[in-house]
Amino acid sequence: MKRAFFPGCSLQATGREYGISTRAVARHLDLELIEIPDWNCCGASSAHSTDELLALALPARNLALAEKMGLDIVAPCAGCFNRLRAAEVALRKPAWQTRVEQLLGMPVTGKITTCNLLDFLVNQVGPETIRRKVIRPLRGLRVVCYYGCLLVRPRALTGFDDPENPQSMDRLMLDLGATVIDWPFKTECCGGNLAIPCTDLTLKMSGQLLRRAQEAGAEAIVTACPLCMLNLDARQEEMEKFGMNLPLPIFYFTELMGLSMGLAPESLGLQCHFTDPQKLLQAKLLL
Amino acid sequence: MDLKEQMREAGVDFSACYQCGKCTASCPVAFAMDYGPRHIVRFLQLGWWDEALKSRSIWLCAACDTCSTRCPRSVNPAKMMDCLRVQAGNRRIVAEPKVKVFNDTFLHIIRRYGRIHEGELAIRFNLITGQLFKDARLGVAMLRRGKIHGMPRRIRGIGTLRRIFAQTDGRKE
Ligand code: SF4
Ligand code: SF4
């Protein structure tokens, strides 16, 4: 299977292990992800908080570039996925399409569709293909799946899973052999990009998620969003000040896919985490 | 275009709200807001636009879309918050300057390079907000893990991006 690949800014920096593990798993599954040449930032929340047209034109340039490739897009980052989808939907209105094409100086019909990596793997590559590759099941690893906001909301944009009680990552983790614990905070917000301007606020929001995950009996949280990852993983030391009993390792779902398929931890970027997952993985005989 | 019309165009139907409060009950940031989303919707119903534009809530809103997902009247409070942020920004009414500075800095960097550069984003944000050493330790830890790009590099299509920015800058329609 061949797709245009939109890594987005995070996958090259703050979320680089998501990029590394995505490429490793794709290679292992014989999926061809071709990076969109000269892609640009989707504008994230800062663009849609500033100007609607700006927030559509920035991701639309990437849609136009993928259209030239003639390939649908796969975007691992929940935020990029959400913005690309928003542009795709807006372009269906002729008035928006004309304005955006004018701004870009290139044609963009909105016929190219964007799929999040999780949706792509679970619903297009399919569980049979994935299960066949699992040679080291994640036996005894107790996880909660955390979807956050932008992967599943708004439903009209994201479409592939339930906005209140999504299941695709849970099913995937079961397929990898993990013990999946149900919890009511799957789609609760981590604070998103308020982490820089309002750090204390997001510490509370992300801290609550970690605490609830622990209370549910989880040994790790699985995520599909680099911003969620950063908020949950990078500031645990600061949260310990609130009397929390941490660390609690956080994983990208792609890292756990890679591990269960026998790929080496270094080839998945596990050494890039702030909260070191090594002890947990050793205890589960997964390293 | 006035605010009311802009809301309508964006699909925000504040007159449909029957003040059930589900949005505020669901809002993960309500604890830090001066007025929860239900309250802001009420302001709009009463025509109290200034109160809405001046509130801190519109900047603290994390755009998580929980309120809109749960609203039984399809009011779309999340989109309302977004419209209010845009308008408040255009009118330079900013009750939470740090959030606006963050957004502006973020966009400034995209305008320059076409992609984000975390190091420059953090340094600029700290300089403008006068908190020189904010997250310095985190920054060092990020560098060590290769989580901050080296020198920022420009994309080839930067001209297109500059045009987009120039033509949408301070658009008042
Ligand atoms: S959930 Fe909807 S109807 Fe209820 S108070 Fe909020 S906006 Fe109004
Ligand atoms: S979108 Fe904003 S107002 Fe609505 S629930 Fe989320 S944070 Fe609260």
Side-chain angles (χ1 to χ4, degrees):
Chain A
M1 266 193 254
K2 200 162 145 182
R3 294 289 185 274
F5 185 59
F6 184 78
C9 307
S10 295
L11 263 68
Q12 312 213 317
T14 50
R16 64 188 279 252
E17 62 270 42
Y18 196 14
I20 295 170
S21 54
T22 296
R23 286 175 206 272
V25 167
R27 219 176 297 125
H28 196 68
L29 292 170
D30 286 322
L31 305 168
E32 223 182 316
L33 300 180
I34 307 167
E35 185 165 328
I36 299 174
D38 207 43
W39 57 268
N40 61 272
C41 171
C42 70
S45 300
S46 296
H48 74 68
S49 295
T50 304
D51 187 280
E52 200 180 6
L53 183 56
L54 174 70
L56 295 176
L58 287 174
R61 178 173 174 273
N62 299 308
L63 296 181
L65 294 174
E67 211 167 294
K68 273 192 209 159
M69 300 165 77
L71 293 173
D72 282 335
I73 302 174
V74 166
C77 169
C80 303
F81 157 66
N82 199 291
R83 295 326 304 159
L84 288 163
R85 262 303 238 278
E88 181 187 318
V89 170
L91 287 172
R92 288 188 204 139
K93 286 193 189 153
W96 279 116
Q97 195 211 347
T98 318
R99 291 175 85 183
V100 170
E101 280 189 337
Q102 242 168 21
L103 266 182
L104 294 180
M106 32 179 174
V108 53
T109 60
K111 282 197 190 86
I112 292 295
T113 184
T114 304
C115 189
N116 178 261
L117 180 68
L118 180 65
D119 182 16
F120 175 62
L121 289 171
V122 172
N123 296 318
Q124 295 181 26
V125 176
E128 293 78 30
T129 312
I130 293 171
R131 258 183 255 135
R132 238 180 285 134
K133 292 279 185 182
V134 175
I135 56 166
R136 199 166 51 181
L138 309 174
R139 233 165 252 133
L141 185 66
R142 284 179 295 143
V143 301
V144 287
C145 294
Y146 176 57
Y147 300 74
C149 309
L150 300 173
L151 198 60
V152 290
R153 284 191 297 263
R155 193 211 287 260
L157 277 191
T158 55
F160 75 98
D161 211 334
D162 189 88
E164 296 284 6
N165 188 10
Q167 298 293 337
S168 28
M169 208 192 307
D170 293 63
R171 278 199 296 265
L172 174 63
M173 288 303 129
L174 285 174
D175 281 338
L176 305 183
T179 306
V180 181
I181 302 173
D182 198 21
W183 69 319
F185 288 83
K186 283 181 175 180
T187 61
E188 190 77 10
C189 180
C190 71
N193 68 1
L194 291 174
I196 297 184
C198 310
T199 310
D200 288 345
L201 191 67
T202 51
L203 280 179
K204 277 199 193 126
M205 295 166 77
S206 299
Q208 157 165 268
L209 287 169
L210 293 172
R211 190 158 45 80
R212 297 295 187 158
Q214 283 179 324
E215 282 169 7
E219 297 164 307
I221 299 180
V222 194
T223 175
C225 171
L227 200 54
C228 300
M229 179 66 161
L230 197 63
N231 285 344
L232 294 174
D233 172 55
R235 294 180 186 270
Q236 291 197 11
E237 252 176 61
E238 289 168 71
M239 292 171 193
E240 271 169 347
K241 280 184 245 155
F242 302 144
M244 289 184 59
N245 183 22
L246 297 166
L248 184 70
I250 320 291
F251 293 102
Y252 287 107
F253 72 97
T254 43
E255 296 173 328
L256 293 182
M257 282 181 85
L259 277 180
S260 72
M261 294 175 180
L263 304 183
E266 311 79 59
S267 74
L268 299 167
L270 282 167
Q271 68 284 1
C272 304
H273 290 208
F274 287 89
T275 307
D276 193 352
Q278 232 181 22
K279 236 166 84 189
L280 173 65
L281 294 175
Q282 270 162 355
K284 302 286 167 187
L285 306 176
L286 291 168
L287 278 191
Chain B
M1 202 193 297
D2 76 347
L3 255 166
K4 211 166 162 180
E5 212 174 304
Q6 201 198 7
M7 293 272 173
R8 197 175 316 123
E9 188 134 303
V12 179
D13 188 7
F14 57 80
S15 55
C17 166
Y18 52 29
Q19 292 286 296
C20 68
K22 202 171 191 178
C23 48
T24 300
S26 306
C27 176
V29 201
F31 73 93
M33 289 177 166
D34 41 6
Y35 306 104
R38 178 201 60 83
H39 215 131
I40 305 279
V41 177
R42 188 67 181 142
F43 283 158
L44 302 197
Q45 288 181 331
L46 295 170
W48 296 8
W49 295 89
D50 280 349
E51 277 71 11
L53 290 167
K54 275 192 227 146
S55 95
R56 294 169 56 230
S57 312
I58 60 175
W59 300 100
L60 295 180
C61 161
C64 74
D65 213 58
T66 312
C67 50
S68 296
T69 301
R70 296 184 183 166
C71 172
R73 300 285 295 151
S74 304
V75 169
N76 204 346
K79 191 75 195 179
M80 166 193 78
M81 291 291 196
D82 218 29
C83 289
L84 288 169
R85 267 193 298 273
V86 172
Q87 281 305 326
N90 285 346
R91 294 170 196 203
R92 304 196 198 293
I93 312 169
V94 184
E96 280 288 331
K98 279 185 192 161
V99 177
K100 178 77 172 128
V101 168
F102 174 80
N103 288 341
D104 289 349
T105 312
F106 190 96
L107 294 175
H108 172 86
I109 291 174
I110 300 175
R111 189 178 202 150
R112 253 176 99 159
Y113 306 116
R115 295 181 191 169
I116 214 59
H117 185 273
E118 311 66 30
E120 191 171 325
L121 174 62
I123 290 170
R124 273 179 185 277
F125 176 81
N126 286 0
L127 281 174
I128 299 172
T129 54
Q131 341 167 63
L132 281 197
F133 299 108
K134 183 182 185 301
D135 289 332
R137 264 185 66 196
L138 186 61
V140 172
M142 291 244 206
L143 269 176
R144 219 182 297 126
R145 288 171 173 77
K147 292 196 161 192
I148 294 180
H149 285 92
M151 286 303 286
R153 240 182 298 151
R154 228 164 241 138
I155 63 163
R156 286 193 306 283
I158 193 71
T160 310
L161 259 61
R162 298 227 165 113
R163 191 165 62 233
I164 297 173
F165 274 101
Q167 294 191 22
T168 53
D169 228 1
R171 228 163 36 101
K172 290 277 174 343
E173 36 170 322

